[in-house]
Amino acid sequence: MNTQSSVDTRIKVGIIGFGRMGRFYWEAMTKSDRWNIAYICDTNPESRQLAKKLSPNSIILEDNQKIFEDESVQVVGLFTLADSRLEQIEKAIRYGKHIIIIRKSKFPLNPERSVQISGKRTKRSVQKKGCTQHL
């Protein structure tokens, strides 16, 4: 008798930005059974073509909106340029996503900062180079 559940317990993630760092994290995630890389998004056509080749089971996108709207996606990896990161972090919080971020940003991230979204205070964790910071 098969007693294993058919429920996928892996963490469903959308990768936004498939440049050098996005590919680095994609590669690390593919080496672990913990991650289900559902989406890869990049505005660069060459990066999207590479993503299709390297990750044929992922949905490849130019616009990240579908990643945020997919309620089954638990985590977004933000591996984009710093000038778009604050907007993406705020969007991820609005949609209830956990966030992986890897570079210093042009804005401070500190435990005391809270984000006001639609009149509600919400707390989310942001993982930044091995430490977790709470917004």
Side-chain angles (χ1 to χ4, degrees):
M1 182 169 140
N2 186 358
T3 58
Q4 289 188 350
S5 172
S6 64
V7 176
D8 188 355
T9 58
R10 297 178 301 160
I11 301 166
K12 192 169 185 179
V13 63
I15 294 175
I16 301 174
F18 202 61
R20 186 176 60 85
M21 291 309 294
R23 286 192 307 273
F24 173 79
Y25 273 79
W26 169 85
E27 184 177 358
M29 288 176 177
T30 60
K31 292 178 182 177
S32 167
D33 291 336
R34 296 185 65 195
W35 300 97
N36 171 6
I37 303 169
Y39 297 95
I40 298 174
C41 176
D42 201 291
T43 57
N44 182 305
E46 292 174 1
S47 293
R48 289 194 308 275
Q49 192 63 33
L50 180 60
K52 285 179 188 177
K53 178 181 175 185
L54 295 177
S55 195
N57 295 327
S58 300
I59 297 169
I60 311 303
L61 304 169
E62 181 177 3
D63 181 4
N64 63 35
Q65 186 62 34
K66 186 171 183 178
I67 295 171
F68 291 108
E69 291 176 352
D70 185 336
E71 293 180 3
S72 68
V73 172
Q74 300 155 291
V75 176
V76 291
L78 303 178
F79 310 116
T80 59
L81 298 175
D83 61 351
S84 62
R85 214 166 299 135
L86 176 59
E87 179 183 325
Q88 291 170 342
I89 288 171
E90 290 174 340
K91 193 174 188 179
I93 292 169
R94 276 195 307 275
Y95 282 92
K97 308 297 184 192
H98 297 278
I99 302 164
I100 300 172
I101 188 170
I102 49 86
R103 294 187 195 135
K104 289 185 180 179
S105 299
K106 292 182 179 181
F107 55 92
L109 284 178
N110 60 53
E112 294 78 32
R113 180 169 183 234
S114 62
V115 177
Q116 190 78 20
I117 304 220
S118 302
K120 296 180 184 176
R121 286 179 80 108
T122 184
K123 290 193 175 205
R124 287 279 180 235
S125 296
V126 175
Q127 185 175 347
K128 184 176 178 184
K129 287 201 175 183
C131 64
T132 301
Q133 298 186 9
H134 300 280
L135 293 178

